[in-house]
């Protein structure tokens, strides 16, 4: 029996991981807010005739991993319905927006992540070790909740790529169908914000949120692709100090690398987002409306890019 593939993929635009891909989608992280925003955006595109199923690779990070999995599993409409009726999706809130105060060990890991101004290996390892040491809800709870949210645990196809980070080594990991794990486990790892949720066992690794890496999108996994749709929480134009291992303008540099490799990029970010509201369930209706409105504005550009 062949051994499972190594999950560690070095971050590299020069590797051109996306060579030979015509269309790709990259969905970044951003809490419950960005899950709702992306669902509103993508469902509006689909209803307008943009065939998102044409994507040959869909990369999901953190919140984007949930939406990417729903998209590739044919569950986007289901997720939209659950988000639209707030009273019917307690598992979404339970899985992605924990209630109550945090313990001191949780606060230590969370603070290290939020205050991190760089993505140096030692910085990521320090955050990861604190995440491993934090006393959090048991790991299986998140996987069970996400299995409900996604309504499937079967890996849909080879196009889905979910990112996470090895909490011990600090390596970027990419989970695909070849890894032989359920989608609920891969997404639980990708959304495991240090201090809020426990790192998840993926193969022989313990993995945490894919955003603890200097990138909220991991766009290098599509370098070489001809056409790329990118949904990122930030558009890189706001002048802000680095936080959560990422520079505010990092997404612009990643998009330029895609263009330098010969690809076309459509980058879209929310028009209005408050960092303090990313995990607040009451922002979901506004986030969905905002995503849908921007998708309608983007239809001409997306038809030119995608069709």
């Amino acid at each position: 029996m062949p051994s499972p593939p190594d999950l560690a993929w070095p971050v590299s635009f020069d590797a051109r991981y996306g060579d030979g891909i015509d269309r790709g989608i990259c969905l970044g992280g951003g809490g419950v807010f960005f899950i709702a925003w992306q669902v509103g955006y993508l469902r509006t595109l689909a209803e307008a005739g943009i065939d998102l199923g044409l994507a040959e690779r869909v990369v999901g990070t953190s919140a984007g991993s949930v939406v990417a999995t729903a998209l590739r599993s044919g569950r986007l409409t289901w997720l939209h319905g659950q988000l639209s009726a707030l009273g019917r999706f307690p598992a979404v809130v339970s899985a992605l927006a924990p209630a109550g105060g945090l313990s001191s060990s949780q606060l230590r890991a969370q603070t290290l992540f939020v205050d991190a101004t760089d993505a140096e290996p030692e910085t990521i390892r320090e955050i990861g070790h604190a995440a491993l040491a934090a006393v959090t809800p048991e790991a299986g709870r998140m996987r069970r909740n996400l299995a409900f949210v996604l309504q499937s645990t079967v890996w849909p196809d080879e196009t889905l790529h979910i990112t996470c980070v090895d909490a011990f080594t600090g390596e970027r990991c990419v989970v695909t169908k070849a890894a032989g794990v359920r989608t609920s486990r891969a997404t639980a790892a990708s959304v495991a914000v240090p201090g809020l949720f426990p790192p998840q066992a993926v193969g022989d690794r313990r993995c945490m949120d894919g955003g603890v890496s200097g990138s909220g999108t991991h766009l290098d996994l599509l370098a070489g692709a001809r056409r790329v749709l990118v949904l990122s929480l930030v558009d890189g134009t706001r002048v802000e100090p680095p936080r959560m291992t990422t520079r505010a303008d990092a997404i612009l540099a990643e998009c330029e690398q895609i263009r330098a490799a010969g690809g076309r990029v459509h980058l879209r970010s929310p028009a209005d987002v408050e960092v303090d509201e990313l995990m607040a369930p009451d922002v979901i209706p506004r986030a969905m409306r905002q995503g849908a409105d921007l998708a309608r504005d983007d239809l001409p550009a997306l038809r030119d890019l995608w069709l």
Side-chain angles (χ1 to χ4, degrees), residues 103-106 108-109 112 125-136 167 195 197-199 206:
S103 68
S104 59
S105 63
Q106 288 179 286
R108 182 171 58 245
L112 283 171
R125 285 194 292 269
E126 183 180 16
I127 296 168
H129 296 172
L132 289 167
V135 179
T136 56
F197 303 112
R206 297 279 301 285

Side-chain angles (χ1 to χ4, degrees), residues 150-300:
L150 297 167
Q151 285 292 287
S152 174
T153 62
V154 177
W155 208 274
D157 55 34
E158 291 79 3
T159 65
L160 180 62
H161 287 52
I162 292 177
T163 68
C164 51
V165 174
D166 186 312
F168 183 75
T169 68
E171 296 170 288
R172 192 267 301 276
C173 295
V174 182
V175 190
T176 65
K177 185 176 182 178
V181 303
R182 296 178 176 182
T183 54
S184 54
R185 184 178 292 274
T187 54
S190 191
V191 303
V193 178
L196 295 187
F197 303 112
Q200 295 283 332
V202 184
D204 64 350
R205 297 175 181 268
R206 297 279 301 285
C207 294
M208 61 182 174
D209 193 298
V212 191
S213 58
S215 174
T217 57
H218 297 273
L219 198 47
D220 68 300
L221 298 176
L222 286 165
R226 291 183 58 234
R227 297 178 270 187
V228 182
L229 168 62
V230 183
L231 302 186
S232 167
L233 184 66
V234 297
D235 64 5
T237 60
R238 295 177 65 177
V239 179
E240 296 178 337
R243 65 197 307 259
M244 293 188 284
T245 73
T246 306
R247 290 174 53 93
D249 60 353
I251 186 61
L252 294 179
E254 291 192 21
C255 288
E256 282 307 309
Q257 293 270 27
I258 294 292
R259 296 186 182 101
R264 296 171 60 195
V265 180
H266 181 87
L267 169 65
R268 172 55 73 190
S269 300
D272 178 28
V273 58
E274 296 294 334
V275 173
D276 293 341
E277 297 181 341
L278 293 182
M279 302 299 283
D282 58 356
V283 306
I284 287 173
R286 174 167 59 86
M288 292 180 71
R289 288 194 300 271
Q290 186 185 126
D293 289 344
L294 287 174
R296 283 188 281 270
D297 292 343
D298 285 353
L299 279 173

Side-chain angles (χ1 to χ4, degrees), residues 72-132:
R72 295 311 301 177
S73 301
R75 302 292 182 178
L76 191 64
T77 297
W78 154 265
L79 186 53
H80 184 276
Q82 295 300 298
L83 292 168
S84 297
L86 300 185
R88 294 210 310 268
F89 71 101
V92 176
V93 177
S94 178
L96 299 168
L102 302 181
S103 68
S104 59
S105 63
Q106 288 179 286
L107 285 170
R108 182 171 58 245
Q110 183 189 49
T111 301
L112 283 171
F113 174 43
V114 171
D115 292 347
T117 60
D118 63 71
E120 294 298 321
E122 57 269 27
T123 300
I124 296 175
R125 285 194 292 269
E126 183 180 16
I127 296 168
H129 296 172
L132 289 167

